[in-house]
C-alpha cells in the first residue's frame, strides 16, 4: 500500500509538471482560428485512468485554472470566454460565467475517462484493454470540446458571433464544425496517446517494487 501511495504521489507530481510545461509553452495551446486546440487535457485523461477520478478531477481543475490564467495573460480575441478579467467585446465588461467555461468541463475530463475505461473493461473483459483505453481517451477529449463549445454558445453566443464575424443564427453551425473538425482530431490524438501511455503505467502500478 505504501509503495502504491508513493507511485501515485510521484505520478501526480509528474502529471502536474507536464501540465505546467504545456501551459507555459506553445505545445499546450495551439491557435486554430478564433480558438485554441489543446494538449493539456491528455495528462488529465491519463491521470484519471491511472490514479482515479478524484486525482483526475483535481488535475482537471488545475488545467482549468491554468487555462483561465493563460487567457488573462496571453490575450486573444476569445480570451473573454475563459477569463472573467477580460472584457467582453459587446458589453465592455468581464463575465463571471467565463469561470464555468474554463473550469467545469476540465474537471469532468478527469472523471469521465475513468468510468468509460472501467465500464468498457467490465463489458468486454481485460482482453479489450487497448480498446477501452483508446475510447476513454477519445471520450475524455470530446467531453472537453463538447462542453466548452456548448457553454460558449449558451453564455456568449452573440459575442462569439461578433468575434468570429458570423451571423448569430450561424454560430452553432460554426461550433459543430469545430467539434467535428479540430475537436475530433484532438480526440483521436488523445485516444492514441492514452492507450500508449496507460498501457505502460498500468503495468508499472501493478509492480510490487
Amino acid at each position: 500500500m505504501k509503495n502504491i501511495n508513493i507511485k501515485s504521489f510521484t505520478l501526480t507530481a509528474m502529471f502536474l509538471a507536464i501540465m505546467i510545461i504545456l501551459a507555459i509553452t506553445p505545445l499546450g495551446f495551439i491557435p486554430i482560428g478564433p480558438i485554441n486546440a489543446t494538449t493539456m487535457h491528455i495528462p488529465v485523461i491519463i491521470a484519471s485512468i491511472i490514479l482515479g477520478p478524484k486525482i483526475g478531477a483535481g488535475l482537471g481543475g488545475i488545467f482549468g485554472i491554468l487555462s483561465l490564467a493563460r487567457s488573462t495573460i496571453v490575450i486573444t480575441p476569445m480570451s473573454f470566454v475563459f477569463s472573467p478579467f477580460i472584457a467582453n467585446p459587446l458589453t465592455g465588461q468581464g463575465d463571471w460565467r467565463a469561470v464555468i467555461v474554463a473550469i467545469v468541463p476540465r474537471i469532468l475530463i478527469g472523471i469521465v475517462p475513468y468510468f468509460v475505461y472501467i465500464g468498457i473493461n467490465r463489458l468486454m473483459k481485460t482482453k479489450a484493454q487497448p480498446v477501452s483505453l483508446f475510447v476513454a481517451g477519445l471520450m475524455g477529449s470530446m467531453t472537453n470540446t463538447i462542453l466548452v463549445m456548448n457553454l460558449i454558445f449558451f453564455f456568449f453566443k452573440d459575442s462569439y458571433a461578433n468575434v468570429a464575424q458570423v451571423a448569430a443564427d450561424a454560430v452553432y453551425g460554426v461550433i459543430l464544425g469545430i467539434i467535428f473538425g479540430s475537436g475530433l482530431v484532438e480526440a483521436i490524438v488523445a485516444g492514441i496517446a492514452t492507450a500508449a501511455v496507460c498501457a505502460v503505467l498500468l503495468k508499472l502500478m501493478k509492480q510490487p517494487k
Side-chain angles (χ1 to χ4, degrees):
M1 180 63 72
K2 182 179 179 181
N3 190 49
I4 292 175
N5 288 337
I6 292 172
K7 287 179 180 178
S8 296
F9 178 81
T10 302
L11 285 174
T12 302
M14 181 186 74
F15 289 132
L16 180 57
I18 291 171
M19 289 169 60
I20 292 171
I21 291 169
L22 291 174
I24 62 177
T25 66
L27 298 174
F29 296 92
I30 304 164
I32 298 179
I35 55 101
N36 287 319
T38 185
T39 57
M40 290 277 292
H41 59 309
I42 295 176
V44 179
I45 292 169
I46 295 171
S48 172
I49 294 168
I50 302 297
L51 302 173
K54 289 183 180 179
I55 292 176
L59 289 173
I62 292 171
F63 169 19
I65 292 169
L66 289 171
S67 175
L68 189 156
R70 189 178 187 279
S71 294
T72 304
I73 297 167
V74 183
I75 299 175
T76 69
M78 292 299 295
S79 285
F80 69 94
V81 304
F82 297 107
S83 172
F85 305 109
I86 303 299
N88 184 312
L90 290 186
T91 66
Q93 297 179 332
D95 194 318
W96 65 270
R97 292 176 297 182
V99 176
I100 297 175
V101 179
I103 295 178
V104 172
R106 278 63 189 271
I107 291 174
L108 291 174
I109 296 173
I111 298 173
V112 171
Y114 173 82
F115 290 104
V116 171
Y117 170 68
I118 295 297
I120 294 176
N121 266 357
R122 286 179 179 172
L123 287 174
M124 302 178 68
K125 309 304 180 184
T126 54
K127 291 181 180 179
Q129 187 182 76
V131 174
S132 60
L133 289 173
F134 175 81
V135 175
L138 189 83
M139 293 304 296
S141 182
M142 290 306 290
T143 295
N144 178 54
T145 304
I146 291 171
L147 287 180
V148 166
M149 296 311 300
N150 276 281
L151 286 172
I152 289 173
F153 176 77
F154 288 122
F155 293 153
F156 302 108
K157 175 184 174 182
D158 292 334
S159 300
Y160 185 91
N162 179 64
V163 171
Q165 296 184 333
V166 298
D169 58 2
V171 169
Y172 204 70
V174 174
I175 285 174
L176 287 176
I178 292 171
I179 291 173
F180 292 105
S182 61
L184 190 57
V185 173
E186 273 186 16
I188 293 170
V189 171
I192 294 170
T194 299
V197 176
C198 284
V200 175
L201 293 180
L202 286 169
K203 290 179 182 178
L204 176 66
M205 292 297 286
K206 290 178 181 178
Q207 291 177 357
K209 294 183 180 180

